[in-house]
PDB file of all heavy atoms in Angstrom:
ATOM      1  N   TRP A 540     -45.004-128.248  10.905  1.00  0.00           N
ATOM      2  CA  TRP A 540     -46.453-128.079  10.595  1.00  0.00           C
ATOM      3  C   TRP A 540     -47.297-128.459  11.792  1.00  0.00           C
ATOM      4  O   TRP A 540     -48.277-127.745  12.118  1.00  0.00           O
ATOM      5  CB  TRP A 540     -46.797-128.983   9.402  1.00  0.00           C
ATOM      6  CG  TRP A 540     -48.243-128.915   8.995  1.00  0.00           C
ATOM      7  CD1 TRP A 540     -48.870-127.919   8.327  1.00  0.00           C
ATOM      8  CD2 TRP A 540     -49.293-129.886   9.319  1.00  0.00           C
ATOM      9  NE1 TRP A 540     -50.214-128.238   8.164  1.00  0.00           N
ATOM     10  CE2 TRP A 540     -50.490-129.406   8.767  1.00  0.00           C
ATOM     11  CE3 TRP A 540     -49.293-131.085   9.967  1.00  0.00           C
ATOM     12  CZ2 TRP A 540     -51.694-130.079   8.872  1.00  0.00           C
ATOM     13  CZ3 TRP A 540     -50.472-131.803  10.096  1.00  0.00           C
ATOM     14  CH2 TRP A 540     -51.682-131.334   9.554  1.00  0.00           C
ATOM     15  N   LEU A 541     -46.915-129.536  12.521  1.00  0.00           N
ATOM     16  CA  LEU A 541     -47.679-129.931  13.713  1.00  0.00           C
ATOM     17  C   LEU A 541     -47.568-128.884  14.779  1.00  0.00           C
ATOM     18  O   LEU A 541     -48.577-128.542  15.476  1.00  0.00           O
ATOM     19  CB  LEU A 541     -47.189-131.254  14.234  1.00  0.00           C
ATOM     20  CG  LEU A 541     -47.498-132.510  13.339  1.00  0.00           C
ATOM     21  CD1 LEU A 541     -46.787-133.692  13.953  1.00  0.00           C
ATOM     22  CD2 LEU A 541     -49.011-132.698  13.265  1.00  0.00           C
ATOM     23  N   LEU A 542     -46.382-128.301  14.930  1.00  0.00           N
ATOM     24  CA  LEU A 542     -46.174-127.214  15.931  1.00  0.00           C
ATOM     25  C   LEU A 542     -46.977-126.007  15.623  1.00  0.00           C
ATOM     26  O   LEU A 542     -47.676-125.424  16.461  1.00  0.00           O
ATOM     27  CB  LEU A 542     -44.733-126.877  16.015  1.00  0.00           C
ATOM     28  CG  LEU A 542     -44.325-125.739  16.998  1.00  0.00           C
ATOM     29  CD1 LEU A 542     -44.685-126.173  18.404  1.00  0.00           C
ATOM     30  CD2 LEU A 542     -42.853-125.359  16.912  1.00  0.00           C
ATOM     31  N   TRP A 543     -47.064-125.653  14.305  1.00  0.00           N
ATOM     32  CA  TRP A 543     -47.828-124.522  13.848  1.00  0.00           C
ATOM     33  C   TRP A 543     -49.318-124.761  14.124  1.00  0.00           C
ATOM     34  O   TRP A 543     -49.989-123.856  14.580  1.00  0.00           O
ATOM     35  CB  TRP A 543     -47.588-124.261  12.402  1.00  0.00           C
ATOM     36  CG  TRP A 543     -48.401-123.161  11.806  1.00  0.00           C
ATOM     37  CD1 TRP A 543     -48.176-121.836  11.936  1.00  0.00           C
ATOM     38  CD2 TRP A 543     -49.535-123.297  10.961  1.00  0.00           C
ATOM     39  NE1 TRP A 543     -49.118-121.128  11.318  1.00  0.00           N
ATOM     40  CE2 TRP A 543     -49.967-122.009  10.665  1.00  0.00           C
ATOM     41  CE3 TRP A 543     -50.218-124.396  10.448  1.00  0.00           C
ATOM     42  CZ2 TRP A 543     -51.095-121.730   9.857  1.00  0.00           C
ATOM     43  CZ3 TRP A 543     -51.327-124.091   9.649  1.00  0.00           C
ATOM     44  CH2 TRP A 543     -51.751-122.831   9.356  1.00  0.00           C
ATOM     45  N   ARG A 544     -49.811-125.987  13.851  1.00  0.00           N
ATOM     46  CA  ARG A 544     -51.199-126.243  14.080  1.00  0.00           C
ATOM     47  C   ARG A 544     -51.506-126.211  15.595  1.00  0.00           C
ATOM     48  O   ARG A 544     -52.543-125.707  16.022  1.00  0.00           O
ATOM     49  CB  ARG A 544     -51.543-127.654  13.527  1.00  0.00           C
ATOM     50  CG  ARG A 544     -51.602-127.767  12.039  1.00  0.00           C
ATOM     51  CD  ARG A 544     -52.799-127.005  11.459  1.00  0.00           C
ATOM     52  NE  ARG A 544     -54.015-127.531  11.982  1.00  0.00           N
ATOM     53  CZ  ARG A 544     -54.713-128.517  11.438  1.00  0.00           C
ATOM     54  NH1 ARG A 544     -54.244-129.140  10.343  1.00  0.00           N
ATOM     55  NH2 ARG A 544     -55.869-128.909  11.945  1.00  0.00           N
ATOM     56  N   TRP A 545     -50.597-126.718  16.392  1.00  0.00           N
ATOM     57  CA  TRP A 545     -50.822-126.738  17.826  1.00  0.00           C
ATOM     58  C   TRP A 545     -50.841-125.317  18.403  1.00  0.00           C
ATOM     59  O   TRP A 545     -51.585-125.039  19.290  1.00  0.00           O
ATOM     60  CB  TRP A 545     -49.723-127.582  18.554  1.00  0.00           C
ATOM     61  CG  TRP A 545     -49.922-127.684  20.003  1.00  0.00           C
ATOM     62  CD1 TRP A 545     -50.944-128.351  20.707  1.00  0.00           C
ATOM     63  CD2 TRP A 545     -49.146-127.002  21.036  1.00  0.00           C
ATOM     64  NE1 TRP A 545     -50.751-128.155  22.053  1.00  0.00           N
ATOM     65  CE2 TRP A 545     -49.713-127.358  22.301  1.00  0.00           C
ATOM     66  CE3 TRP A 545     -48.034-126.249  20.966  1.00  0.00           C
ATOM     67  CZ2 TRP A 545     -49.204-126.898  23.504  1.00  0.00           C
ATOM     68  CZ3 TRP A 545     -47.477-125.737  22.188  1.00  0.00           C
ATOM     69  CH2 TRP A 545     -48.054-126.090  23.397  1.00  0.00           C
ATOM     70  N   LEU A 546     -49.960-124.474  17.880  1.00  0.00           N
ATOM     71  CA  LEU A 546     -49.895-123.083  18.409  1.00  0.00           C
ATOM     72  C   LEU A 546     -51.162-122.295  18.063  1.00  0.00           C
ATOM     73  O   LEU A 546     -51.439-121.268  18.661  1.00  0.00           O
ATOM     74  CB  LEU A 546     -48.655-122.392  17.809  1.00  0.00           C
ATOM     75  CG  LEU A 546     -47.290-122.826  18.381  1.00  0.00           C
ATOM     76  CD1 LEU A 546     -46.171-122.132  17.681  1.00  0.00           C
ATOM     77  CD2 LEU A 546     -47.199-122.574  19.872  1.00  0.00           C
ATOM     78  N   ARG A 547     -51.917-122.799  17.092  1.00  0.00           N
ATOM     79  CA  ARG A 547     -53.203-122.157  16.702  1.00  0.00           C
ATOM     80  C   ARG A 547     -54.381-122.571  17.619  1.00  0.00           C
ATOM     81  O   ARG A 547     -55.453-122.046  17.569  1.00  0.00           O
ATOM     82  CB  ARG A 547     -53.521-122.430  15.225  1.00  0.00           C
ATOM     83  CG  ARG A 547     -52.535-121.680  14.287  1.00  0.00           C
ATOM     84  CD  ARG A 547     -52.741-122.173  12.878  1.00  0.00           C
ATOM     85  NE  ARG A 547     -54.064-121.871  12.361  1.00  0.00           N
ATOM     86  CZ  ARG A 547     -54.429-120.729  11.749  1.00  0.00           C
ATOM     87  NH1 ARG A 547     -53.481-119.843  11.541  1.00  0.00           N
ATOM     88  NH2 ARG A 547     -55.610-120.541  11.307  1.00  0.00           N
ATOM     89  N   THR A 548     -54.123-123.686  18.418  1.00  0.00           N
ATOM     90  CA  THR A 548     -55.133-124.114  19.332  1.00  0.00           C
ATOM     91  C   THR A 548     -55.092-123.284  20.579  1.00  0.00           C
ATOM     92  O   THR A 548     -54.092-122.687  20.876  1.00  0.00           O
ATOM     93  CB  THR A 548     -54.951-125.563  19.650  1.00  0.00           C
ATOM     94  OG1 THR A 548     -53.720-125.760  20.363  1.00  0.00           O
ATOM     95  CG2 THR A 548     -54.943-126.415  18.402  1.00  0.00           C
ATOM     96  N   PRO A 549     -56.195-123.233  21.330  1.00  0.00           N
ATOM     97  CA  PRO A 549     -56.191-122.444  22.618  1.00  0.00           C
ATOM     98  C   PRO A 549     -55.037-122.789  23.565  1.00  0.00           C
ATOM     99  O   PRO A 549     -54.394-121.926  24.095  1.00  0.00           O
ATOM    100  CB  PRO A 549     -57.570-122.703  23.250  1.00  0.00           C
ATOM    101  CG  PRO A 549     -58.410-122.979  22.046  1.00  0.00           C
ATOM    102  CD  PRO A 549     -57.608-123.716  21.048  1.00  0.00           C
ATOM    103  N   PRO A 550     -54.838-124.142  23.848  1.00  0.00           N
ATOM    104  CA  PRO A 550     -53.679-124.476  24.721  1.00  0.00           C
ATOM    105  C   PRO A 550     -52.311-124.018  24.201  1.00  0.00           C
ATOM    106  O   PRO A 550     -51.503-123.465  24.908  1.00  0.00           O
ATOM    107  CB  PRO A 550     -53.743-125.959  24.833  1.00  0.00           C
ATOM    108  CG  PRO A 550     -55.154-126.324  24.481  1.00  0.00           C
ATOM    109  CD  PRO A 550     -55.553-125.340  23.457  1.00  0.00           C
ATOM    110  N   GLY A 551     -52.103-124.265  22.886  1.00  0.00           N
ATOM    111  CA  GLY A 551     -50.854-123.833  22.259  1.00  0.00           C
ATOM    112  C   GLY A 551     -50.654-122.345  22.244  1.00  0.00           C
ATOM    113  O   GLY A 551     -49.589-121.832  22.499  1.00  0.00           O
ATOM    114  N   ARG A 552     -51.738-121.625  21.944  1.00  0.00           N
ATOM    115  CA  ARG A 552     -51.634-120.136  21.922  1.00  0.00           C
ATOM    116  C   ARG A 552     -51.373-119.608  23.323  1.00  0.00           C
ATOM    117  O   ARG A 552     -50.588-118.701  23.497  1.00  0.00           O
ATOM    118  CB  ARG A 552     -52.976-119.569  21.390  1.00  0.00           C
ATOM    119  CG  ARG A 552     -52.898-118.059  21.076  1.00  0.00           C
ATOM    120  CD  ARG A 552     -54.235-117.560  20.544  1.00  0.00           C
ATOM    121  NE  ARG A 552     -54.664-118.260  19.358  1.00  0.00           N
ATOM    122  CZ  ARG A 552     -55.719-119.067  19.242  1.00  0.00           C
ATOM    123  NH1 ARG A 552     -56.487-119.265  20.321  1.00  0.00           N
ATOM    124  NH2 ARG A 552     -56.027-119.647  18.111  1.00  0.00           N
ATOM    125  N   SER A 553     -51.992-120.244  24.309  1.00  0.00           N
ATOM    126  CA  SER A 553     -51.772-119.778  25.676  1.00  0.00           C
ATOM    127  C   SER A 553     -50.329-120.079  26.117  1.00  0.00           C
ATOM    128  O   SER A 553     -49.686-119.294  26.789  1.00  0.00           O
ATOM    129  CB  SER A 553     -52.805-120.512  26.596  1.00  0.00           C
ATOM    130  OG  SER A 553     -52.475-120.192  27.966  1.00  0.00           O
ATOM    131  N   TRP A 554     -49.816-121.258  25.718  1.00  0.00           N
ATOM    132  CA  TRP A 554     -48.437-121.593  26.058  1.00  0.00           C
ATOM    133  C   TRP A 554     -47.474-120.597  25.438  1.00  0.00           C
ATOM    134  O   TRP A 554     -46.553-120.130  26.081  1.00  0.00           O
ATOM    135  CB  TRP A 554     -48.120-123.018  25.551  1.00  0.00           C
ATOM    136  CG  TRP A 554     -46.747-123.477  25.787  1.00  0.00           C
ATOM    137  CD1 TRP A 554     -46.230-124.110  26.928  1.00  0.00           C
ATOM    138  CD2 TRP A 554     -45.624-123.313  24.876  1.00  0.00           C
ATOM    139  NE1 TRP A 554     -44.907-124.340  26.769  1.00  0.00           N
ATOM    140  CE2 TRP A 554     -44.444-123.891  25.507  1.00  0.00           C
ATOM    141  CE3 TRP A 554     -45.493-122.828  23.574  1.00  0.00           C
ATOM    142  CZ2 TRP A 554     -43.242-123.959  24.901  1.00  0.00           C
ATOM    143  CZ3 TRP A 554     -44.233-122.788  23.004  1.00  0.00           C
ATOM    144  CH2 TRP A 554     -43.131-123.381  23.648  1.00  0.00           C
ATOM    145  N   TRP A 555     -47.676-120.269  24.193  1.00  0.00           N
ATOM    146  CA  TRP A 555     -46.784-119.332  23.489  1.00  0.00           C
ATOM    147  C   TRP A 555     -46.875-117.935  24.045  1.00  0.00           C
ATOM    148  O   TRP A 555     -45.885-117.308  24.311  1.00  0.00           O
ATOM    149  CB  TRP A 555     -47.053-119.331  21.972  1.00  0.00           C
ATOM    150  CG  TRP A 555     -46.428-118.211  21.274  1.00  0.00           C
ATOM    151  CD1 TRP A 555     -47.028-117.133  20.653  1.00  0.00           C
ATOM    152  CD2 TRP A 555     -45.045-117.964  21.142  1.00  0.00           C
ATOM    153  NE1 TRP A 555     -46.112-116.244  20.094  1.00  0.00           N
ATOM    154  CE2 TRP A 555     -44.878-116.805  20.388  1.00  0.00           C
ATOM    155  CE3 TRP A 555     -43.901-118.693  21.508  1.00  0.00           C
ATOM    156  CZ2 TRP A 555     -43.604-116.259  20.027  1.00  0.00           C
ATOM    157  CZ3 TRP A 555     -42.635-118.192  21.127  1.00  0.00           C
ATOM    158  CH2 TRP A 555     -42.521-117.023  20.409  1.00  0.00           C
ATOM    159  N   GLN A 556     -48.098-117.471  24.310  1.00  0.00           N
ATOM    160  CA  GLN A 556     -48.258-116.168  24.830  1.00  0.00           C
ATOM    161  C   GLN A 556     -47.670-116.016  26.223  1.00  0.00           C
ATOM    162  O   GLN A 556     -47.180-114.869  26.557  1.00  0.00           O
ATOM    163  CB  GLN A 556     -49.751-115.771  24.838  1.00  0.00           C
ATOM    164  CG  GLN A 556     -50.352-115.558  23.464  1.00  0.00           C
ATOM    165  CD  GLN A 556     -51.850-115.254  23.480  1.00  0.00           C
ATOM    166  OE1 GLN A 556     -52.489-115.384  24.520  1.00  0.00           O
ATOM    167  NE2 GLN A 556     -52.390-114.921  22.366  1.00  0.00           N
ATOM    168  N   ASN A 557     -47.711-117.026  27.060  1.00  0.00           N
ATOM    169  CA  ASN A 557     -47.163-116.948  28.365  1.00  0.00           C
ATOM    170  C   ASN A 557     -45.644-116.808  28.327  1.00  0.00           C
ATOM    171  O   ASN A 557     -44.992-116.277  29.229  1.00  0.00           O
ATOM    172  CB  ASN A 557     -47.497-118.149  29.188  1.00  0.00           C
ATOM    173  CG  ASN A 557     -48.993-118.160  29.602  1.00  0.00           C
ATOM    174  OD1 ASN A 557     -49.612-117.102  29.720  1.00  0.00           O
ATOM    175  ND2 ASN A 557     -49.520-119.339  29.852  1.00  0.00           N
ATOM    176  N   ARG A 558     -45.039-117.306  27.292  1.00  0.00           N
ATOM    177  CA  ARG A 558     -43.577-117.306  27.156  1.00  0.00           C
ATOM    178  C   ARG A 558     -43.050-116.189  26.244  1.00  0.00           C
ATOM    179  O   ARG A 558     -41.876-115.748  26.373  1.00  0.00           O
ATOM    180  CB  ARG A 558     -43.041-118.611  26.656  1.00  0.00           C
ATOM    181  CG  ARG A 558     -43.104-119.741  27.716  1.00  0.00           C
ATOM    182  CD  ARG A 558     -43.191-121.102  27.136  1.00  0.00           C
ATOM    183  NE  ARG A 558     -43.243-122.082  28.206  1.00  0.00           N
ATOM    184  CZ  ARG A 558     -44.375-122.388  28.901  1.00  0.00           C
ATOM    185  NH1 ARG A 558     -45.505-121.744  28.616  1.00  0.00           N
ATOM    186  NH2 ARG A 558     -44.342-123.230  29.900  1.00  0.00           N
ATOM    187  N   ALA A 559     -43.898-115.679  25.337  1.00  0.00           N
ATOM    188  CA  ALA A 559     -43.425-114.731  24.379  1.00  0.00           C
ATOM    189  C   ALA A 559     -42.940-113.410  25.063  1.00  0.00           C
ATOM    190  O   ALA A 559     -41.939-112.843  24.681  1.00  0.00           O
ATOM    191  CB  ALA A 559     -44.520-114.416  23.353  1.00  0.00           C
ATOM    192  N   LEU A 560     -43.756-112.974  26.056  1.00  0.00           N
ATOM    193  CA  LEU A 560     -43.368-111.716  26.729  1.00  0.00           C
ATOM    194  C   LEU A 560     -42.115-111.829  27.600  1.00  0.00           C
ATOM    195  O   LEU A 560     -41.527-110.832  28.009  1.00  0.00           O
ATOM    196  CB  LEU A 560     -44.531-111.283  27.629  1.00  0.00           C
ATOM    197  CG  LEU A 560     -45.830-110.925  26.924  1.00  0.00           C
ATOM    198  CD1 LEU A 560     -46.905-110.397  27.851  1.00  0.00           C
ATOM    199  CD2 LEU A 560     -45.637-109.937  25.804  1.00  0.00           C
ATOM    200  N   ARG A 561     -41.642-113.112  27.880  1.00  0.00           N
ATOM    201  CA  ARG A 561     -40.435-113.294  28.690  1.00  0.00           C
ATOM    202  C   ARG A 561     -39.176-113.389  27.809  1.00  0.00           C
ATOM    203  O   ARG A 561     -38.127-113.531  28.339  1.00  0.00           O
ATOM    204  CB  ARG A 561     -40.620-114.540  29.497  1.00  0.00           C
ATOM    205  CG  ARG A 561     -41.821-114.527  30.444  1.00  0.00           C
ATOM    206  CD  ARG A 561     -41.994-115.850  31.135  1.00  0.00           C
ATOM    207  NE  ARG A 561     -43.284-115.954  31.810  1.00  0.00           N
ATOM    208  CZ  ARG A 561     -43.761-117.054  32.325  1.00  0.00           C
ATOM    209  NH1 ARG A 561     -42.964-118.175  32.276  1.00  0.00           N
ATOM    210  NH2 ARG A 561     -44.940-117.164  32.937  1.00  0.00           N
ATOM    211  N   LEU A 562     -39.363-113.424  26.529  1.00  0.00           N
ATOM    212  CA  LEU A 562     -38.206-113.605  25.657  1.00  0.00           C
ATOM    213  C   LEU A 562     -37.284-112.351  25.715  1.00  0.00           C
ATOM    214  O   LEU A 562     -37.845-111.255  25.781  1.00  0.00           O
ATOM    215  CB  LEU A 562     -38.656-113.794  24.221  1.00  0.00           C
ATOM    216  CG  LEU A 562     -39.444-115.052  23.891  1.00  0.00           C
ATOM    217  CD1 LEU A 562     -39.938-115.052  22.458  1.00  0.00           C
ATOM    218  CD2 LEU A 562     -38.530-116.306  24.105  1.00  0.00           C
ATOM    219  N   PRO A 563     -36.008-112.562  25.724  1.00  0.00           N
ATOM    220  CA  PRO A 563     -35.077-111.369  25.693  1.00  0.00           C
ATOM    221  C   PRO A 563     -35.222-110.616  24.392  1.00  0.00           C
ATOM    222  O   PRO A 563     -35.454-111.194  23.381  1.00  0.00           O
ATOM    223  CB  PRO A 563     -33.731-111.994  25.809  1.00  0.00           C
ATOM    224  CG  PRO A 563     -33.867-113.410  25.326  1.00  0.00           C
ATOM    225  CD  PRO A 563     -35.249-113.837  25.658  1.00  0.00           C
ATOM    226  N   ILE A 564     -35.152-109.293  24.464  1.00  0.00           N
ATOM    227  CA  ILE A 564     -35.201-108.340  23.347  1.00  0.00           C
ATOM    228  C   ILE A 564     -36.653-108.346  22.790  1.00  0.00           C
ATOM    229  O   ILE A 564     -37.248-107.287  22.717  1.00  0.00           O
ATOM    230  CB  ILE A 564     -34.181-108.690  22.249  1.00  0.00           C
ATOM    231  CG1 ILE A 564     -32.761-108.624  22.882  1.00  0.00           C
ATOM    232  CG2 ILE A 564     -34.315-107.669  21.134  1.00  0.00           C
ATOM    233  CD1 ILE A 564     -31.680-109.002  21.884  1.00  0.00           C
ATOM    234  N   VAL A 565     -37.139-109.485  22.315  1.00  0.00           N
ATOM    235  CA  VAL A 565     -38.412-109.552  21.634  1.00  0.00           C
ATOM    236  C   VAL A 565     -39.537-109.306  22.605  1.00  0.00           C
ATOM    237  O   VAL A 565     -40.558-108.686  22.292  1.00  0.00           O
ATOM    238  CB  VAL A 565     -38.611-110.968  20.922  1.00  0.00           C
ATOM    239  CG1 VAL A 565     -39.943-111.051  20.289  1.00  0.00           C
ATOM    240  CG2 VAL A 565     -37.461-111.103  19.883  1.00  0.00           C
ATOM    241  N   GLY A 566     -39.485-109.906  23.855  1.00  0.00           N
ATOM    242  CA  GLY A 566     -40.560-109.788  24.829  1.00  0.00           C
ATOM    243  C   GLY A 566     -41.022-108.391  25.144  1.00  0.00           C
ATOM    244  O   GLY A 566     -42.185-108.112  25.092  1.00  0.00           O
ATOM    245  N   PRO A 567     -40.055-107.526  25.528  1.00  0.00           N
ATOM    246  CA  PRO A 567     -40.437-106.133  25.808  1.00  0.00           C
ATOM    247  C   PRO A 567     -41.095-105.421  24.604  1.00  0.00           C
ATOM    248  O   PRO A 567     -41.976-104.599  24.806  1.00  0.00           O
ATOM    249  CB  PRO A 567     -39.091-105.462  26.184  1.00  0.00           C
ATOM    250  CG  PRO A 567     -38.283-106.558  26.714  1.00  0.00           C
ATOM    251  CD  PRO A 567     -38.641-107.796  25.838  1.00  0.00           C
ATOM    252  N   LEU A 568     -40.653-105.728  23.402  1.00  0.00           N
ATOM    253  CA  LEU A 568     -41.260-105.149  22.211  1.00  0.00           C
ATOM    254  C   LEU A 568     -42.686-105.603  22.010  1.00  0.00           C
ATOM    255  O   LEU A 568     -43.595-104.821  21.697  1.00  0.00           O
ATOM    256  CB  LEU A 568     -40.416-105.490  20.955  1.00  0.00           C
ATOM    257  CG  LEU A 568     -39.046-104.844  20.892  1.00  0.00           C
ATOM    258  CD1 LEU A 568     -38.308-105.335  19.663  1.00  0.00           C
ATOM    259  CD2 LEU A 568     -39.098-103.343  20.974  1.00  0.00           C
ATOM    260  N   LEU A 569     -42.941-106.905  22.222  1.00  0.00           N
ATOM    261  CA  LEU A 569     -44.289-107.448  22.107  1.00  0.00           C
ATOM    262  C   LEU A 569     -45.213-106.822  23.208  1.00  0.00           C
ATOM    263  O   LEU A 569     -46.360-106.473  22.940  1.00  0.00           O
ATOM    264  CB  LEU A 569     -44.298-108.937  22.259  1.00  0.00           C
ATOM    265  CG  LEU A 569     -43.630-109.754  21.083  1.00  0.00           C
ATOM    266  CD1 LEU A 569     -43.599-111.214  21.442  1.00  0.00           C
ATOM    267  CD2 LEU A 569     -44.447-109.520  19.823  1.00  0.00           C
TER     268      LEU A 569
END
């Protein structure tokens, strides 16, 4: 729950978005 809340904040969203596109398989699809 804390991770989910943090990912909804601007810093958390920025952290996830910077790494999401680098994930194998999933990144290119995103």
Side-chain angles (χ1 to χ4, degrees):
W540 180 76
L541 291 174
L542 178 62
W543 177 76
R544 289 290 302 270
W545 181 71
L546 289 176
R547 292 170 62 90
T548 64
R552 191 180 301 115
S553 176
W554 178 87
W555 166 246
Q556 289 177 351
N557 288 335
R558 286 156 180 78
L560 298 182
R561 304 174 191 171
L562 294 174
I564 302 177
V565 178
L568 292 179
L569 291 174

